[in-house]
């Protein structure tokens, strides 16, 4: 058994991965967290697959070299559905947990057999997503909805910027389908940014649906892999000396007040100054190129 706290690196293009981080914190309050947002490259949803694969491998390479995580959680569907096999091949010593559309649980639970997958344009275009539908949702009608703007609206909300209900509604409406007397009853939140808007999604939905968020399952998987790797399971953070978490932004931009507050509420500090941490990561990325 390893008695020290595990180091967990959580990675996303922006603040969406905080929805996964929140569940990880519940499952492993004893861990030391680094939360890295590749905000210089946000949004990932628009990127060409090849360029995005290169970007993710480069940024994560720099992070792994300096942070030496015991596990990496890719809290981003757009990156996971594309780059997971390559990341595992490049860094075979590190366990990776990805975030992929929760199509299986949605299809299993659906009574109307009408489900929708709300994701970035990148994620809806992936073979990975199509394969999940073929393998687990063949008995359902599945509407794939690629939203160009919803992740950016969630970022804006986190930054304390006013977000118009009409803009959110426009992005989610195509996910609500009525067909032959049936209605969509499950919508897969296949972008980690979207649960940040969950209250709005519920409020603006034309009828109630189950919004399926895979974050708790991801946290369970990470917890399981850490236990398998021999990390003792401390029930309370106070049982170990837990270092404060660290938040990193690849742009080097200083997060505004609202974001800093949201990070602090999640026990993520900007310990050596956000600009410094971001600039350091930028240097590491340049060095790794
Ligand atoms: N949070 C990311 C995801 O889960 C995507 C946001 C973006 O477009 O960068 O897919």
């Amino acid at each position: 058994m390893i008695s020290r706290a595990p180091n967990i690196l959580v990675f996303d293009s922006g603040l969406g991965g905080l929805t996964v981080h929140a569940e990880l914190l519940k499952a492993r309050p004893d861990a030391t967290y680094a939360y890295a947002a590749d905000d210089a490259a946000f949004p990932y949803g628009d990127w060409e697959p090849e360029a995005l694969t290169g970007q993710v491998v480069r940024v994560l390479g720099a992070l792994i070299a300096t942070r030496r995580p015991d596990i990496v959680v890719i809290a981003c569907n757009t990156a996971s559905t594309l780059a997971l096999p390559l990341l595992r091949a490049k860094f075979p010593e590190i366990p990776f947990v990805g975030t992929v559309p929760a199509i299986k649980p949605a299809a299993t639970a659906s009574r109307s057999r009408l489900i929708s997958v709300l994701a970035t344009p990148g994620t809806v275009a992936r073979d990975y997503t199509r394969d999940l539908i073929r393998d687990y949702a063949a008995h359902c009608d599945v509407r794939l909805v690629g939203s160009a703007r919803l992740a950016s609206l969630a970022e804006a909300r986190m930054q304390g910027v006013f977000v118009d209900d009409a803009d959110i509604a426009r992005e989610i409406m195509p996910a609500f389908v009525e067909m032959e007397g049936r209605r969509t009853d499950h919508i897969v939140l296949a972008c980690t940014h979207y649960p940040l808007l969950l209250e709005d999604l519920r409020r603006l939905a034309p009828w109630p649906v189950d919004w399926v968020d895979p974050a708790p399952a991801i946290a369970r998987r990470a917890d399981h892999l850490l236990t398998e790797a021999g990390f003792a399971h401390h029930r309370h953070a106070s049982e170990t000396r837990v270092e404060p978490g660290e938040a990193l932004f690849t742009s080097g931009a200083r997060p505004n007040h609202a974001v800093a507050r949201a990070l602090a509420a999640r026990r993520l500090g900007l310990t050596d100054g956000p600009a410094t941490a971001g600039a350091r990561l930028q240097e590491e990325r340049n060095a790794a190129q």
Side-chain angles (χ1 to χ4, degrees), residues 205-275:
W207 60 80
V209 294
D210 281 325
W211 300 94
V212 187
D213 176 5
I218 293 157
R220 281 197 298 276
R221 176 77 188 141
D223 180 30
H224 175 77
L225 289 178
L226 286 169
T227 306
E228 246 183 21
F231 284 96
H233 210 274
H234 301 280
R235 202 169 299 163
H236 301 291
S238 57
E239 287 178 34
T240 57
R241 229 169 41 82
V242 178
E243 303 291 329
E246 171 192 30
L248 292 153
F249 293 87
T250 57
S251 70
R254 180 175 289 274
N256 72 12
H257 234 62
V259 173
R261 247 200 333 267
L263 294 172
R266 292 161 172 86
R267 303 211 314 250
L268 290 168
L270 298 154
T271 40
D272 60 350

Side-chain angles (χ1 to χ4, degrees), residues 41-203:
F42 180 88
Y44 273 3
D46 295 345
W47 280 62
E48 285 303 319
E50 216 169 292
L52 183 57
T53 306
Q55 171 73 5
V56 170
V57 169
R58 244 190 332 270
V59 176
L60 272 168
L63 286 163
I64 288 168
T66 53
R67 305 281 164 327
R68 303 253 161 239
D70 297 299
I71 192 166
V72 176
V73 178
I74 310 291
C76 175
N77 294 260
T78 313
S80 298
T81 51
L82 184 68
L84 261 182
L86 186 62
L87 287 168
R88 287 187 172 126
K90 285 221 176 258
F91 309 101
E93 69 288 2
I94 309 232
F96 283 88
V97 179
T99 306
V100 299
I103 289 166
K104 186 180 179 182
T108 306
S110 174
R111 281 199 295 267
S112 68
R113 288 175 289 109
L114 265 184
I115 67 171
S116 293
V117 179
L118 191 57
T120 65
T123 298
V124 299
R126 301 269 189 266
D127 289 344
Y128 194 106
T129 304
R130 313 270 161 163
D131 291 350
L132 286 176
I133 293 170
R134 186 200 56 214
D135 293 345
Y136 300 113
H139 61 290
C140 291
D141 288 298
V142 182
R143 169 72 57 93
L144 280 170
V145 180
S147 166
R149 294 194 58 214
L150 203 51
S152 298
L153 295 173
E155 284 278 316
R157 169 61 59 75
M158 289 296 279
Q159 286 159 7
V161 175
F162 171 76
V163 176
D164 203 326
D165 278 357
D167 288 335
I168 298 176
R170 198 171 306 119
E171 298 301 302
I172 66 169
M173 279 316 161
F176 290 84
V177 180
E178 292 190 277
M179 190 196 277
E180 297 153 5
R182 296 180 291 146
R183 278 177 160 182
T184 304
D185 64 356
H186 285 71
I187 298 180
V188 179
L189 296 173
C191 168
T192 53
H193 278 73
Y194 302 166
L196 294 171
L197 295 172
L198 190 57
E199 278 176 30
D200 305 279
L201 301 180
R202 288 201 176 116
R203 187 169 49 79

